[in-house]
Amino acid sequence: MGGTIFAATAMIVLGFFQVVVGLAALANDQVFVTGPDYVYSVDISIWGWAHLGLGVIMVITGIALYGMSAWARGVGIALAVLSAVANFLFAPYFPLWSVVIIALDVFVIWALATVHSPADSAAMSDRRHHHGHSHGEGDLPMNRPVAGRESNEVRKAEKEAEVRREAEM
């Protein structure tokens, strides 16, 4: 849950930053300057529209992430990737800014890719119960609380039952 809240907040902030850069590029073509040998020379107003559009969509997706929307995770990852690529190509115009935005995009991608939704947890729990055993980290004997002799006896009985099930297969 914390990863999703982080990603949602970061997406809104990144979207706002993209909108500001887009508006600056559209308002005054002379704000951003690059050397004459830049390989990806694109008119700055095209960059302005690209950043503006990307920023607006990122803000909307960030808001949807607060609602734990299923589609927003995938769209958020895709938008963060697009933002990182756009800022990589935009780096000669505004290098330090681009590096900071790319770093934040990477954090958003990580946060959205590693977070488990409640639906994921429920599906994992259902698989454990249907298969009669589990492989979850919380189910390892070393992660269970030890409360004395009863816990050891329960673990021993569970282990014997598991060995019997494996022998039957």
Side-chain angles (χ1 to χ4, degrees):
M1 180 94 156
T4 304
I5 298 300
F6 168 80
T9 305
M11 291 273 303
I12 291 170
V13 170
L14 284 167
F16 175 75
F17 288 165
Q18 298 281 22
V19 167
V20 168
V21 168
L23 289 175
L26 290 172
N28 185 357
D29 278 358
Q30 306 308 317
V31 171
F32 303 103
V33 180
T34 187
D37 295 331
Y38 182 47
V39 176
Y40 308 107
S41 61
V42 177
D43 183 44
I44 196 70
S45 45
I46 292 174
W47 279 121
W49 285 110
H51 283 284
L52 182 64
L54 187 61
V56 168
I57 296 169
M58 287 179 86
V59 168
I60 292 167
T61 303
I63 292 168
L65 280 169
Y66 278 122
M68 302 299 167
S69 175
W71 63 266
R73 276 177 54 195
V75 171
I77 290 171
L79 287 173
V81 168
L82 283 175
S83 174
V85 169
N87 280 285
F88 173 77
L89 296 174
F90 191 70
Y93 296 102
F94 210 1
L96 183 59
W97 178 270
S98 294
V99 169
V100 170
I101 298 299
I102 290 168
L104 288 172
D105 286 329
V106 169
F107 279 121
V108 167
I109 293 166
W110 171 80
L112 291 176
T114 59
V115 72
H116 294 289
S117 70
D120 294 341
S121 298
M124 179 71 84
S125 177
D126 287 346
R127 278 199 307 263
R128 287 184 196 155
H129 293 305
H130 289 334
H131 295 305
H133 62 283
S134 65
H135 299 286
E137 193 175 278
D139 294 326
L140 295 175
M142 67 192 95
N143 292 334
R144 293 184 193 153
V146 176
R149 184 179 291 226
E150 292 101 23
S151 294
N152 289 335
E153 290 172 5
V154 169
R155 275 189 256 143
K156 184 177 177 184
E158 288 175 352
K159 182 69 173 171
E160 289 171 359
E162 186 176 329
V163 169
R164 278 193 301 264
R165 276 192 298 262
E166 288 177 5
E168 289 173 0
M169 290 183 184

